[in-house]
Amino acid sequence: MALEIERKFLVENDSWRDAVETSRSIVQAYVAIDGDTSLRVRIYDGTSAWLAVKVGVSEMTRHEFEYPVPLADAREMADASRGRLVEKTRHIVNVEGFAWEVDVYEARLAGLVTAEVEMGSESDAPALPAWLGREVTGEAAWSNAMLAINGLPADFQP
C-alpha cells in the first residue's frame, strides 16, 4: 500500500522560478469525493493520464493508489466530473534534497500558487524555502478536492 506524506504551503513570491527544473500542465478532475476519500483523474500535458484513489490517514498522510488510464477514458471522466476540476502548471524545485511541487493554478483559481513537499515520514523536517507563506497542511479548504468544488477559500489574499 502506497503512502503519500506531504506538507502544503501557500507561496508568497516568485523567487522560486529561477530554480525550476521541470514543468508540466495538469488537468485534475474529481470523479467522486466522500469525506477524506477521493477518486480523481489527472491528465498531464494533454498526452497521458492517471487515475488515483486517495484515502486520508492523518493531516499529512494518505493512502494513495495510482493507475495509468487511456487518455480518451480520462477525458470522459473529466467531462463527467460535473466541473469539479483544477487546472494548473506544476513546477519542480529541489531544495536541500527535497523535491517541492509548486502549483500555479489557472482558470477560476487563477492567482493561487501553492507548494507541496513529499516526505518519507511525518517526522521529516525539510528546509522551508524563503518563498513559502502560510502552511495549510490539513486545512480542508486548501485541498485540491475542495478547491475543485468550492473555488478559492474566503481567506485567500493574492
Side-chain angles (χ1 to χ4, degrees):
M1 181 174 313
L3 287 178
E4 175 187 67
I5 304 167
E6 65 185 14
R7 292 174 68 187
K8 185 173 188 172
F9 297 81
L10 300 180
V11 173
E12 286 191 337
N13 62 60
D14 286 342
S15 62
W16 55 271
R17 288 191 180 272
D18 290 337
V20 170
E21 295 185 8
T22 62
S23 301
R24 60 183 172 177
S25 67
I26 297 172
V27 173
Q28 182 168 303
Y30 288 85
V31 179
I33 301 170
D34 182 15
D36 285 342
T37 302
S38 66
L39 172 66
R40 68 139 203 254
V41 63
R42 262 192 189 163
I43 300 171
Y44 292 101
D45 293 325
T47 62
S48 65
W50 290 78
L51 189 67
V53 177
K54 293 190 175 194
V55 181
V57 174
S58 72
E59 286 188 354
M60 277 191 235
T61 303
R62 291 182 294 263
H63 294 294
E64 180 180 48
F65 307 91
E66 286 189 300
Y67 309 94
V69 295
L71 187 56
D73 290 355
R75 288 187 172 131
E76 286 188 38
M77 285 185 264
D79 289 344
S81 72
R82 299 185 301 261
R84 296 182 302 204
L85 59 89
V86 168
E87 298 171 76
K88 59 189 177 182
T89 300
R90 171 161 289 168
H91 307 276
I92 304 301
V93 177
N94 283 297
V95 178
E96 296 184 26
F98 285 89
W100 287 83
E101 298 172 339
V102 180
D103 290 339
V104 178
Y105 293 80
E106 300 157 14
R108 69 186 187 119
L109 299 173
L112 176 62
V113 181
T114 64
E116 297 177 349
V117 60
E118 288 202 26
M119 303 174 301
S121 76
E122 288 192 10
S123 62
D124 283 355
L128 303 181
W131 38 265
L132 292 179
R134 183 176 120 210
E135 183 167 9
V136 293
T137 303
E139 293 185 35
W142 294 100
S143 74
N144 280 311
M146 291 300 103
L147 290 170
I149 292 171
N150 301 321
L152 291 169
D155 65 343
F156 175 64
Q157 299 291 323

